[in-house]
Amino acid sequence: MTTRTADIEKAAAVLRDGGLVALPTETVYGLGADAENPAALARVFQAKGRPPSHPLIVHIAGAERLGDWVREVPATARLLAARFWPGPLTLVLRRGGRVSPAATGGLETVAVRVPDHPVALALLSAFGGGVAAPSANRFGAVSPTTADHVRAELGDAVDFVLDGGPCLVGVESTIVDATGDVPSILRPGGVTREDLEAVLGRSLEVDSTGRTPVPGRHPSHYAPRARVILVEPENVVAEAELAQESGQRVGVLVPSSRAGAPVKAHTVMAVPESPAAYAQGLYGILREFDRRGCDVVVVSLPADEGLGLAIANRLRRAAGPRPSR
Ligand code: TXA
Ligand code: MG
């Protein structure tokens, strides 16, 4: 992967013309459009099959530009931006006049972040404005962590794909609502709750129940085609073999505590060693189960701490509201 200056300039020109650019970030690939261009933003929703009421994240080149996009920058937001940007943290703040209402789903707030990826930062600097970018996947599906994932899923719906190599964090940004006096986590992600709490000197509620201020409910998200079954770690192997015996093609993600035990399943993969490696590999693993034609995926949840919180959140959402054993 080499991203040339010419590619960055071409991508910036596509954005200026109202086109769509897939861009690498440290979390996942985004499907970017000019955050001030309603027609371009409409194309993002169309390409993703996403309801226009579901707001996008505006990506900017640096914390010093935050004031251009929000009405005010409260002290908490200033502190978090100074500490975690560029990085996998998104701040929800009261929106300024510059961002198109088409990007915010008509909300009075806007989500903003500075991604920690040299290609994304080069593009944002060359473009100069804000780039509204959801993850570059079809609505509800697994987020892309390579340029190939984007091409396979969105194809011609994207005008230009910037290849920045595989994403290093692998799960989306942590979203913090910083509009009020008491910040809260709307979505766990690449910046851990513990790190946020250490900087803020207070504990943070996690409001990851999907109670974002958007109309409609979208229960199943981050989901592969295969049905995801969540079980306790000690039951993963038995559950996988049961499903396999019933004639289904079973993918199983074996926790390290069970590594080495033989498993009768169609596709067996080991949970990566560290939480960081697990987060980085998660979406690729879910895609691989689909690629191998699995009907179901049996997996256990990591503990809700550190990056495990984001991983568990994605797996719960992938499993959806179906009863899990
Ligand atoms: O890591 C990421 O955040 C990636 C990369 C591309 O930056 N982007 C991403 O975007 O995950 P998306 O669209 O897949 O998820 C954005 C989330 C949605 O769940 C949306 O509801 C929430 O951000 N969001 C956006 N604006 C919001 C707002 N004003 N208030 C509350 N939630 C908001
Ligand atoms: Mg997404």
Side-chain angles (χ1 to χ4, degrees), residues 168-295:
L168 293 181
V169 174
V171 290
E172 295 83 351
S173 60
T174 304
I175 303 179
V176 170
D177 180 347
T179 51
D181 295 334
V182 184
S184 65
I185 296 175
L186 298 180
R187 178 180 71 182
V191 171
T192 67
R193 173 189 191 161
E194 293 84 348
D195 283 349
L196 289 166
E197 290 179 341
V199 166
L200 293 175
R202 67 183 304 159
S203 61
L204 284 179
E205 291 293 315
V206 181
D207 180 9
S208 64
T209 49
R211 195 187 61 85
T212 47
V214 285
R217 295 188 56 217
H218 313 287
S220 181
H221 229 88
Y222 312 107
R225 274 194 311 277
R227 188 162 62 89
V228 175
I229 302 176
L230 303 178
V231 296
E232 295 301 321
E234 61 273 22
N235 297 334
V236 166
V237 169
E239 182 72 31
E241 293 185 350
L242 200 68
Q244 183 78 13
E245 276 161 28
S246 76
Q248 303 180 83
R249 268 178 303 197
V250 177
V252 55
L253 198 47
V254 179
S256 32
S257 60
R258 308 278 135 179
V263 189
K264 287 194 240 56
H266 180 264
T267 301
V268 181
M269 298 215 242
V271 168
E273 279 299 321
S274 71
Y278 192 179
Q280 191 190 358
L282 177 66
Y283 292 145
I285 290 169
L286 293 179
R287 281 172 187 271
E288 184 62 15
F289 285 129
D290 276 348
R291 204 184 64 78
R292 300 212 200 165
C294 295
D295 304 308

Side-chain angles (χ1 to χ4, degrees), residues 27 30 50 54-55 57 59 109 111 113 134-135 172-173 175 187:
T27 59
R50 170 154 158 164
H54 204 93
I57 295 173
H59 298 69
T109 54
R113 88 177 187 101
S135 51
E172 295 83 351
S173 60
I175 303 179
R187 178 180 71 182

Side-chain angles (χ1 to χ4, degrees), residues 15-19 33-42 100 102:
L15 290 173
R16 272 183 220 113
D17 289 346
D34 180 353
E36 296 172 86
N37 182 337
L41 295 164
S100 167

Side-chain angles (χ1 to χ4, degrees), residues 23-31 48 50 53-59 87-93 95 103-105 107-113 115 133-137 139 143 171-175 177 179 186-187 190 211-214 221-222 314 317:
L23 66 149
T25 80
E26 79 282 33
T27 59
V28 301
Y29 274 74
L31 178 62
K48 273 188 69 94
R50 170 154 158 164
S53 59
H54 204 93
L56 309 178
I57 295 173
V58 177
H59 298 69
L89 175 71
T90 294
L91 295 173
V92 171
L93 293 163
R95 60 180 291 250
T104 63
L107 294 175
E108 277 314 301
T109 54
V110 60
V112 185
R113 88 177 187 101
S135 51
N137 51 279
F139 186 60
S143 298
V171 290
E172 295 83 351
S173 60
T174 304
I175 303 179
D177 180 347
T179 51
L186 298 180
R187 178 180 71 182
R211 195 187 61 85
T212 47
V214 285
H221 229 88
Y222 312 107
R314 302 306 187 270
R317 299 285 308 271

Side-chain angles (χ1 to χ4, degrees), residues 69-103:
W69 298 93
V70 304
R71 199 178 320 151
E72 60 193 344
V73 185
T76 303
R78 206 175 292 278
L79 178 65
L80 292 176
R83 172 61 183 80
F84 294 106
W85 283 356
L89 175 71
T90 294
L91 295 173
V92 171
L93 293 163
R94 292 186 201 292
R95 60 180 291 250
R98 188 166 174 186
V99 59
S100 167

